Amino acid sequence: MAAHLTLRRRSLAKARQLLRGALESDHMNHKVAFSFADGKTLFFPVGANEILLDAALRNGIKIPLDCREGVCGTCQGRCESGHFTQDYVDEEALSSLDLQHRKMLSCQTRVQSDAAFYFDFDSSLCNAPGPVQIRSTVSAVQQVSASTAILHLELETPLDFLPGQYARLSIPGTDSWRSYSFANRPGNQLQFLIRLLPDGVMSNYIRERCQVGDELLLEAPLGAFYLRHVTQPLVLVAGGTGLSALLGMLDELAANACQQPVHLYYGVRGAADLCEATRIKAYAEKIPGFRYTEVLSDPPPDWPGKRGYLTEHFDLAELRDQSADMYVCGPPPMVESIKQWLLDQALDDVQLYYEKFTESNI
């Protein structure tokens, strides 16, 4: 009897969806990203009323599946951004709490906008193609602080990535590759913040040999650190050139007229290490409620601003009064200190996303 009721509920749900689909346009495509536990992201188009799993398979992305009826839960993932509906989901496949957390079944999902989905397994399970090397050309190099440069690259065709992700860049004249976060929105004009080390392969290239017109190969997009669906206030925390990933997120938030409050914290060693001040202040004109706090860990005696460590200057009242999403990008000690601070303050309602990076010294 229970099986018959399940089939009946599923049939009614599909009938309602087909009726809705008949009223919708069949010509609009949405751009969808599938992000996996190994940090790889794949983009593909999905039709306006197309089942997400069907679109993935059509584009060569073989998500694990079994029943295709919304019952087994094998093809489940989580929607990180965008809007979607589901035809039918059996309560044994996804609980009400799962649904609140935006979990979904690929075989029952229809996207209503551009969207990103996360799957908690490696992309190799989907027979996904390996990393593709993309040719780029240096269009400009700017030294924006005593210790930081921005490398501008141009592509022949726009590159899709999720704001916050990174690329691996080849270094001309060497066999070396280095990883850097995108400092802007997706497109064919790319920016990367580069920390200038005293003696590093990329640093030496930037200082000594980099010329407009140089060709670099890159592999992208990579990384599981990216901007999720924005439904509550955001706290963005950058250490050093970890600012790069957050600039990409801020560009995206500004372009989409984000209505949630955004507080950017930016920590560096000395005043000479601060960069992109004009760009950061301009976000206040595009993002209502934007706030900016910069902190120096080793300031000069005449520094008028905040000094010490970032956790000493977090707005505790702001975080206690409301739920928030916190994005942290910086060196491992900084990230670990923030994780511990959140635990010490018992801020259970703060959802933390973070990216640790280490600077190569060769």
Side-chain angles (χ1 to χ4, degrees):
M1 182 65 176
H4 288 298
L5 288 174
T6 296
L7 289 172
R8 178 176 174 78
R9 289 197 301 269
R10 188 162 64 237
S11 297
L12 288 172
K14 286 189 174 181
R16 287 193 294 269
Q17 182 59 42
L18 289 172
L19 179 60
R20 287 196 300 270
L23 301 176
E24 297 175 353
S25 168
D26 290 327
H27 302 293
M28 181 184 298
N29 280 341
H30 299 299
K31 183 169 64 178
V32 166
F34 274 11
S35 181
F36 300 93
D38 58 356
K40 186 168 184 180
T41 303
L42 302 173
F43 290 84
F44 60 96
V46 179
N49 196 45
E50 187 176 14
I51 288 291
L52 183 60
L53 177 62
D54 293 343
L57 294 174
R58 178 167 51 80
N59 285 276
I61 305 171
K62 299 178 180 177
I63 292 292
L65 58 92
D66 191 0
C67 74
R68 299 188 68 152
E69 296 290 344
V71 176
C72 72
T74 304
C75 63
Q76 73 170 276
R78 183 177 66 246
C79 184
E80 301 281 33
S81 65
H83 303 284
F84 69 100
T85 60
Q86 298 196 79
D87 290 2
Y88 172 80
V89 176
D90 190 87
E91 61 186 13
E92 292 187 4
L94 294 179
S95 68
S96 58
L97 184 60
D98 289 334
L99 296 174
Q100 289 177 30
H101 290 163
R102 294 172 62 84
K103 288 191 175 181
M104 58 84 207
L105 303 179
S106 303
C107 69
Q108 301 296 308
T109 294
R110 301 177 193 267
V111 294
Q112 309 301 319
S113 68
D114 291 351
F117 297 88
Y118 174 77
F119 295 90
D120 194 20
F121 49 79
D122 285 1
S123 60
S124 58
L125 290 179
C126 304
N127 293 328
V132 176
Q133 293 190 354
I134 305 164
R135 295 186 182 277
S136 68
T137 303
V138 175
S139 56
V141 180
Q142 300 170 269
Q143 185 156 351
V144 291
S145 79
S147 59
T148 310
I150 296 184
L151 177 64
H152 296 256
L153 300 180
E154 184 173 353
L155 308 177
E156 290 187 1
T157 58
L159 174 66
D160 285 324
F161 57 88
L162 301 173
Q165 290 190 301
Y166 69 91
R168 293 183 68 238
L169 305 183
S170 68
I171 302 172
T174 77
D175 295 327
S176 298
W177 293 69
R178 293 292 182 268
S179 297
Y180 298 99
S181 297
F182 297 102
N184 62 318
R185 297 182 69 217
N188 65 343
Q189 304 290 329
L190 306 179
Q191 300 175 29
F192 300 93
L193 256 61
I194 310 292
R195 172 75 171 175
L196 298 176
L197 303 172
D199 185 24
V201 177
M202 177 63 89
S203 301
N204 291 341
Y205 165 69
I206 293 289
R207 279 191 295 257
E208 300 168 6
R209 307 190 308 280
C210 184
Q211 299 289 329
V212 171
D214 284 0
E215 184 177 280
L216 278 72
L217 295 177
L218 60 89
E219 292 180 353
L222 299 166
F225 181 72
Y226 52 82
L227 185 66
R228 270 69 174 181
H229 190 63
V230 179
T231 60
Q232 54 191 17
L234 299 178
V235 178
L236 310 181
V237 187
T241 51
L243 179 66
S244 190
L246 303 186
L247 290 175
M249 292 183 183
L250 286 163
D251 279 0
E252 184 75 7
L253 294 169
N256 290 306
C258 174
Q259 297 302 307
Q260 292 289 344
V262 179
H263 194 158
L264 171 66
Y265 292 86
Y266 177 29
V268 295
R269 183 175 178 82
D273 299 315
L274 292 167
C275 67
E276 293 290 78
T278 301
R279 179 177 176 181
I280 291 171
K281 291 175 182 176
Y283 291 125
E285 300 176 5
K286 303 174 183 177
I287 304 174
F290 176 77
R291 297 171 62 193
Y292 172 49
T293 300
E294 56 189 22
V295 181
L296 303 187
S297 62
D298 187 20
D302 59 349
W303 171 248
K306 298 184 184 301
R307 57 185 67 210
Y309 296 102
L310 285 164
T311 52
E312 298 170 1
H313 300 284
F314 286 158
D315 189 335
L316 184 57
E318 176 186 57
L319 292 171
R320 285 203 187 283
D321 289 346
Q322 56 194 355
S323 299
D325 288 340
M326 177 180 282
Y327 291 84
V328 179
C329 189
M334 186 200 83
V335 174
E336 289 301 320
S337 70
I338 291 172
K339 289 170 64 178
Q340 187 60 52
W341 184 85
L342 291 172
L343 285 173
D344 293 342
Q345 303 301 325
L347 292 170
D348 299 331
D349 290 335
V350 175
Q351 176 63 57
L352 176 65
Y353 304 98
Y354 61 87
E355 175 96 304
K356 298 178 183 179
F357 67 81
T358 55
E359 295 171 344
S360 173
N361 57 8
I362 58 172

